[in-house]
Amino acid sequence: MSGEEYPKEPPADVPAEHRERARELQLQLLVLEARLESANFEDEEAYRRAINERRAELAALRDGDG
């Protein structure tokens, strides 16, 4: 998601009932990825873990498991 514009729409492959949460996750990922780029060494792992958690939740929403 790095380098992309602000996500105005949730992913098209997310069921309608999960689109608002998917959009929230997209925004969180955008912020976390930006923070990771400027994070100090001690904080990098925490940002990576948070990014991975949100990507996993977004993938679950896409699969209908959310």
Side-chain angles (χ1 to χ4, degrees), residues 3-51:
E4 291 183 12
E5 290 185 21
Y6 174 83
K8 295 176 182 79
E9 297 292 325
D13 55 349
V14 173
E17 64 269 17
H18 300 300
R19 289 204 173 137
E20 186 59 34
R21 179 62 183 152
R23 189 167 180 280
E24 290 173 11
L25 289 168
Q26 285 181 302
L27 292 172
Q28 290 176 16
L29 280 166
L30 193 66
V31 170
L32 288 167
E33 288 169 350
R35 288 182 179 173
L36 176 61
E37 290 178 15
S38 62
N40 60 37
F41 181 76
E42 293 83 20
D43 293 336
E44 284 181 358
E45 187 56 36
Y47 283 119
R48 284 191 187 103
R49 191 172 21 250
I51 288 168

Side-chain angles (χ1 to χ4, degrees), residues 11-19 22 25 54-66:
D13 55 349
V14 173
E17 64 269 17
H18 300 300
R19 289 204 173 137
L25 289 168
R54 278 141 184 101
R55 284 181 180 159
E57 185 178 347
L58 188 55
L61 292 177
R62 284 183 168 128
D63 296 338
D65 297 337

